[in-house]
Amino acid sequence: MKFRFGVLGATLVIASCASASTAMADGYSPRGAYAPFVSWTGFYIGGHVGADWQDVDWRNVNLTGERVNNDASGFIGGGQVGYNQQFGNIVLGVEASLSGSTLSDDFRSGVNPAVTYSTDINTIFTVTGRVGVAADKWLVYAKGGYAGAQVDVSGRNAALPDSFSIDDWRNGWTVGGGLEYKLTRNFSLGLEYSFIDLGSDHLHGTTAQAFPVNIVDHDAQVQSVTARLNWQFYRDDYRPIK
């Protein structure tokens, strides 16, 4: 009798192990009626690189009394850190990014050809909220929030010689959107577009030879397209099997 019960018990154990092995081979969790799925939930850190361009316009500068334009294109690169939370197919998140840029342009005065005016935008910082829709390994999202940048406005008169430089941290806003694809459970590759408006500012200072500088309505906008690579602190997520 004991032998029969022993054989029956061994048979049940073997059957259970076979069933569990089959379930895991099919991609299902041993938790029961749950299956693992690609999740965007978690913290992530990464880097970005791409191209950007600035649209900068001065309404007037008193030294020559003319309108100035400093449009330029350049390269941008930096890093980002953020967190996503997935609810079904909806992904909500927040992200902070810091970028370095090569944006710089010289404008030669039409009133005095010895004078040039420049605007350089070299540091850009953003904090944005994100909302997206996930479809397995794909994520498409929109973003919006705060943007700030270090803006260096300068001028030089080669004939005197004389010059001025005004560094200004500008606060503004940004909107944009992007697309990401999960290469592995931890790594995702994406493409993102951003529009940044740094507003309009009046700037005041003096030249090296103590001439007053008054700039009216210095408007600055930046756009960028970047490739992004993120590493996600991945955790296993499960959803009920329907």
Side-chain angles (χ1 to χ4, degrees):
M1 182 67 70
K2 291 181 179 180
F3 175 75
R4 291 181 179 178
F5 280 118
V7 172
L8 179 59
T11 303
L12 290 175
V13 170
I14 293 172
S16 297
C17 291
S19 177
S21 299
T22 303
M24 286 189 287
D26 288 341
Y28 292 96
S29 167
R31 297 183 181 189
Y34 289 82
F37 70 102
V38 175
S39 173
W40 292 88
T41 293
F43 290 95
Y44 63 88
I45 186 170
H48 58 267
V49 63
D52 60 352
W53 55 99
Q54 69 181 24
D55 182 6
V56 177
D57 184 75
W58 316 8
R59 196 179 79 183
N60 180 274
V61 56
N62 69 297
L63 296 177
T64 53
E66 64 187 318
R67 193 181 193 96
V68 177
N69 182 272
N70 284 141
D71 292 348
S73 59
F75 296 98
I76 186 172
Q80 64 273 352
V81 60
Y83 178 82
N84 289 323
Q85 182 68 49
Q86 185 167 348
F87 303 92
N89 291 331
I90 303 300
V91 178
L92 303 180
V94 61
E95 179 181 289
S97 71
L98 181 64
S99 307
S101 174
T102 64
L103 288 173
S104 180
D105 181 67
D106 293 330
F107 173 89
R108 184 169 297 278
S109 171
V111 176
N112 182 355
V115 175
T116 55
Y117 298 113
S118 303
T119 298
D120 300 344
I121 301 178
N122 302 128
T123 303
I124 300 172
F125 174 71
T126 67
V127 178
T128 58
R130 309 200 315 168
V131 56
V133 178
D136 194 41
K137 294 182 178 181
W138 291 95
L139 173 66
V140 59
Y141 63 89
K143 69 170 190 174
Y146 167 82
Q150 187 68 35
V151 181
D152 181 16
V153 181
S154 60
R156 181 173 181 270
N157 187 334
L160 291 179
D162 195 11
S163 63
F164 72 88
S165 180
I166 303 173
D167 289 327
D168 184 32
W169 181 263
R170 301 277 284 274
N171 297 305
W173 53 270
T174 180
V175 294
L179 180 69
E180 284 190 56
Y181 177 78
K182 281 217 166 183
L183 302 172
T184 68
R185 62 187 292 173
N186 296 108
F187 284 99
S188 65
L189 184 65
L191 188 67
E192 182 178 275
Y193 165 79
S194 296
F195 173 86
I196 295 174
D197 192 325
L198 298 172
S200 181
D201 202 3
H202 298 335
L203 305 175
H204 307 284
T206 58
T207 69
Q209 296 193 15
F211 289 102
V213 179
N214 296 301
I215 297 171
V216 178
D217 290 343
H218 186 277
D219 298 325
Q221 297 177 342
V222 177
Q223 299 180 67
S224 67
V225 175
T226 57
R228 296 156 48 95
L229 182 65
N230 287 326
W231 189 86
Q232 179 184 339
F233 295 83
Y234 185 89
R235 75 176 194 186
D236 290 322
D237 275 324
Y238 297 84
R239 61 170 46 142
I241 300 173
K242 297 180 180 180

